[in-house]
Amino acid sequence: MNHFWTIKMVCNYSPAGAFGILAGRDDAINLLLSSIAMEELGLSHILNAEGEKIQYILGTLPGVSSPISTISDVLLINSSVRDTIREVTKK
């Protein structure tokens, strides 16, 4: 079996197996590792978006002209980013 699965193949995985056969120990380990990798990828996208939110409010996001921000705007965004990071790191 090819272990270089696409995300679609992993997401469409069923108890009977992606290829119509029961999954063995190696398949279960590979699916677990793929699941962890996809979760990490999702978290990295969230963190990047939060970083861009901060850059936008500070006017430092490349290629984007931001409105002039007040201290209140910056503190509000900071609170929002902190809350988002707190929520995504809960386990």
Side-chain angles (χ1 to χ4, degrees), residues 30-73:
N30 286 330
L31 284 171
L32 180 61
L33 292 174
S34 295
S35 173
I36 292 168
M38 286 189 292
E39 182 178 4
E40 294 294 324
L41 180 62
L43 288 172
S44 73
H45 284 286
I46 291 169
L47 291 175
N48 185 62
E50 294 304 303
E52 288 182 352
K53 191 187 300 183
I54 292 170
Q55 286 180 300
Y56 177 79
I57 203 70
L58 295 176
T60 60
L61 188 61
V64 176
S65 57
S66 305
I68 297 174
S69 303
T70 65
I71 295 293
S72 295
D73 295 333

Side-chain angles (χ1 to χ4, degrees):
M1 181 185 309
N2 184 354
H3 293 288
F4 299 103
W5 295 345
T6 65
I7 290 176
K8 182 176 187 222
M9 291 172 71
V10 172
C11 293
N12 287 337
Y13 197 79
S14 68
F19 303 101
I21 58 173
L22 294 176
R25 182 176 186 275
D26 288 344
D27 290 334
I29 291 169
N30 286 330
L31 284 171
L32 180 61
L33 292 174
S34 295
S35 173
I36 292 168
M38 286 189 292
E39 182 178 4
E40 294 294 324
L41 180 62
L43 288 172
S44 73
H45 284 286
I46 291 169
L47 291 175
N48 185 62
E50 294 304 303
E52 288 182 352
K53 191 187 300 183
I54 292 170
Q55 286 180 300
Y56 177 79
I57 203 70
L58 295 176
T60 60
L61 188 61
V64 176
S65 57
S66 305
I68 297 174
S69 303
T70 65
I71 295 293
S72 295
D73 295 333
V74 174
L75 292 174
L76 184 64
I77 291 297
N78 186 62
S79 178
S80 171
V81 169
R82 187 181 332 113
D83 291 345
T84 300
I85 292 172
R86 185 178 298 127
E87 288 299 314
V88 299
T89 57
K90 282 184 179 178
K91 290 275 177 171

